[in-house]
Amino acid sequence: MSLALERDRAAGPGRHERPAWMEKPHPLTQVGKAVTIAVTIALVVIPFWVVTATSLAPDQQVIDNGGWALWPDSFTFEAYEKILSGGVVTRALLVSLGVTVFGTLASLVCTVFLAYALARPGVVGGKPVMLMVLFTFLFPPGIIPSFLVVQSLGLRNTYWALVLPVLVNAFNLVVVRGFFQGIPEELYEAARLDGASELRTLFTIVLPLSKAVIAVVGLFYAVGYWNDFFRAVLYLDDASMWPLQTVMRGYVNQGTSLTDTASTEGTVISAPQTLRMAVVVLGTLPILCVYPFVQRYFAKGVLTGAVKS
């Protein structure tokens, strides 16, 4: 260590100077950054807290405050108990969970297999298929062509219409393909010398090294399936088949009344604002719970795939 310090001293006085692009920012710049970060956090946290507090507040407090509550007088889960009592929201939540889980798994399988095939050199038809993928990425199909294709395939009023049209995303495919291309070619050659097939190479070598990109792309697919509401409106005529986001859109934005289907009289639930906010929290919470576990993979998964592609 001392020898290294002596060599640095002998190199001259400018040896330890920071480059111009790494200079310490001015104190006013640091303050400005801190203020910007604080304001951004406040703009994100405060609205979410108001929504959550309103959903947990008593009905009378929400009514007296004009439909909002900054801090509940007493925390109550009555709104959540009502919307999860076996009615419209419960059914929509199960639909969203099923479509999200099945769709994400199916999309990951198809994306990984197609990306691996396109990443390997010498694949027959690899370049034309890649050009078609890029063409769909640059020129996505419109609503009317997509609707006509789904209708001609007999997928309307089925849950397949929520999965198959978006089974493979071109951007995610390009990212995964770029990541696979970044894996050293020596590993593929070693697997071939050991007699491993392409399928075994994929499962024993490529996938264990690609956990980051698979986690990121899986989150992209899951968020897309979970937040999608338009396809249900377009392809599903039966409202009982709608996912949570479609039900939430109709209830929160359009003021559609939810009825307590657990009640034999089908009476309208009181204090609808608490119900609206509870549905919003229910539609947002699953992604918020999953995201922190995948966040650490974002830089490695997305940047590596994007740079290599």
Side-chain angles (χ1 to χ4, degrees), residues 256-273:
T256 304
S257 297
L258 278 180
T259 57
D260 187 1
T261 54
S263 174
T264 56
E265 295 83 3
T267 56
V268 179
I269 299 175
S270 61
Q273 189 70 359

Side-chain angles (χ1 to χ4, degrees), residues 229 245-256 276-277 280:
F229 69 91
Q245 302 297 335
T246 308
V247 172
M248 180 176 66
R249 175 180 176 272
Y251 183 56
V252 176
N253 294 343
Q254 300 177 358
T256 304
R276 294 181 182 182
M277 298 303 103
V280 172

